[in-house]
Each structure stands twice: as structure tokens, then as C-alpha cells.
Amino acid sequence: MQNFELLSFASADELASRAARAWLDEIEAANRAGKTHCVALSGGRITQKFFAAVVEQNKTRKISFDGVHFFWADERCVPPTDPDSNFKMANELLFLPLNISAEKIHRLRGEDTPSVAVKIAESELCRIAPKNKNHQPVLDLIFLGMGEDGHVASLFPDSPANILDIAVPFLVVENSPKPPPTRISMSYKTIFAAKNIVILVSGAGKEAALRTSLQPDGRTPLARVLQSRPVKIFSDLAKF
């Protein structure tokens, strides 16, 4: 049985627009119910288009983001002003245009000593998000991308066993195959615990990784997520 829903689009712009509309619908529903909405963001080229689409659509919809708490699925260990920072991109393209309150932004502190940064991130996430019976914080939604090797967040293929089974929400990733080498990533177990996961897959060179990941016996990091819980995939890749 397939554990995912695959939505295919003709272009990256259409993908970003539909994903933005779906997310705004979720925030609007949470607002109507008087609930907070805890979301984790990721980086990547398609995310730039996604953030821009959210801002543009909300000019008309005017949905309040006051109840939204923002976290991250991963971050590069760089200062928040560095071009490689996932926070920097979100801040410029999403938070500033939407006038998001600083108290709702819970960034991963890439400029700190990584071991300290993961402890701060864990404390902040657990302070706000409820926990499940396995003591994992439960986010309402996690946005993930997928790399050419099938990685998600900063969880890469051929990771050591201790990374696969780590129980804490965040971990330090050393010697990343993509620069910069040191990163902070959300753990698999915290990703698995989220209420909803949306994967945004866009860009040339990713077809093989996506195809492999969708197989029941896939071995990529994305496949590990798909084999563990339901996921929605937004893709603009051909032949899917």
C-alpha cells in the first residue's frame, strides 16, 4: 500500500502556488479553531518560489500568522546573515514581507557551537509543541525538500546507525557531502512524529532519486520517511 500522495505539476511556479494555497488553508483552519500552528521550514531553490507565492496570495487572503510558530528542519552552521543560511532566506522572503513577530521565529542558531545549538533548539521546540506518547514533540506540519541523492533535511544516505535511531529532536551532522560540512538537522523520529509532512521536489537531476525513493524497498532518506508515515509530495518532475 502506498504511504504517500504524489501531486504532479507542470512547472515549479504551479507547484509553489498550489503548495502555498494548501498551507494557507491549514493556517486559516487553525485560526478558526483557535489553535496554534507549529511548522518547520526547509531551504532549497523551490522554497524561494514557495515563500514568494505565500506572500503574494496572502495579499488577497489576509490570513493572520499570529498563531504560527516557525521552526526549521535543518540549518547550515553559519551566521544568520550568511547567504547559506536557511533562516536568512525565510527572513527576507517570508517573515519580513508578512511582518512576522520575532517571538514566533525559533531559528536554529547556526552561529553557535553546534552541540549547544541543538540543546537550545530542543528546549525551544519542546516548550511550544505538544509531545506524543513516545515523548516526541509533534509539529503540525514539516516542509521538506529532496536532494539529488534523496536526502531530506540534512539527513544524508549512508548515515551511521546512531543518526538513524537518535531520539532527541535535533542532531549535529558532521562531514556533510554538500557544503558547508557542519549542519544541524531534525531527527528522523521527530520528523516521523509530525501530524503532516509535505515534500517539495523540483529541479533537474532528481528524477532517479524520487523514483528510487517511491519504491517499497527504497533506501534513500526520503524512502525511510515514506516507509514510516503518510506524506504528501508536490513534484514538477517529468514522467511521474
Side-chain angles (χ1 to χ4, degrees):
M1 184 177 71
Q2 289 186 332
N3 209 25
F4 59 87
E5 179 182 0
L6 177 61
L7 305 175
S8 296
F9 302 95
S11 69
D13 288 334
E14 183 183 354
L15 183 164
S17 178
R18 288 287 297 277
R21 186 193 314 166
W23 186 33
L24 288 171
D25 287 347
E26 284 204 29
I27 296 171
E28 190 172 44
N31 290 347
R32 285 197 303 268
K35 297 180 178 179
T36 59
H37 177 80
C38 294
V39 62
L41 305 176
S42 294
R45 289 184 296 273
I46 187 58
T47 307
Q48 298 179 40
K49 289 182 176 291
F50 169 64
F51 289 160
V54 170
V55 171
E56 185 61 30
Q57 290 181 27
N58 210 46
K59 290 178 181 177
T60 301
R61 298 186 64 172
K62 301 187 185 305
I63 294 169
S64 172
F65 278 73
D66 289 349
V68 182
H69 285 272
F70 295 90
F71 300 89
W72 270 262
D74 70 326
E75 181 59 280
R76 289 78 177 262
C77 288
V78 296
T81 55
D82 190 284
D84 281 334
S85 168
N86 286 337
F87 164 77
K88 182 178 189 293
M89 181 175 69
N91 192 49
E92 293 178 352
L93 299 181
L94 189 69
F95 301 150
L96 291 176
L98 292 176
N99 196 28
I100 302 297
S101 171
E103 67 181 12
K104 299 298 176 63
I105 301 170
H106 313 282
R107 68 180 181 88
L108 296 172
R109 297 181 59 83
E111 73 275 26
D112 288 355
T113 301
S115 59
V116 173
V118 295
K119 293 294 186 183
I120 294 172
E122 176 181 356
S123 176
E124 192 73 353
L125 177 58
C126 291
R127 179 176 67 86
I128 294 168
K131 290 187 177 182
N132 63 15
K133 63 181 181 181
N134 297 318
H135 308 292
Q136 285 294 331
V138 179
L139 287 145
D140 293 292
L141 176 62
I142 300 176
F143 285 106
L144 297 171
M146 185 203 73
E148 290 84 353
D149 58 359
H151 80 265
V152 294
S154 284
L155 302 169
F156 294 93
D158 304 317
S159 295
N162 66 311
I163 287 182
L164 298 180
D165 297 325
I166 194 166
V168 294
F170 295 97
L171 61 142
V172 180
V173 177
E174 305 279 6
N175 302 314
S176 160
K178 296 186 70 175
T182 306
R183 300 171 175 224
I184 299 168
S185 180
M186 189 171 284
S187 67
Y188 278 111
K189 288 192 175 181
T190 298
I191 291 173
F192 297 163
K195 291 181 181 178
N196 295 290
I197 293 180
V198 170
I199 315 285
L200 306 180
V201 184
S202 175
K206 297 184 178 181
E207 291 87 351
L210 181 57
R211 186 173 293 106
T212 298
S213 298
L214 297 181
Q215 298 303 311
D217 59 350
R219 301 294 297 274
T220 67
L222 174 56
R224 181 177 171 85
V225 175
L226 298 179
Q227 291 158 12
S228 301
R229 51 148 308 123
V231 167
K232 183 174 288 188
I233 303 170
F234 288 66
S235 169
D236 66 354
L237 304 186
K239 301 177 183 178
F240 285 95

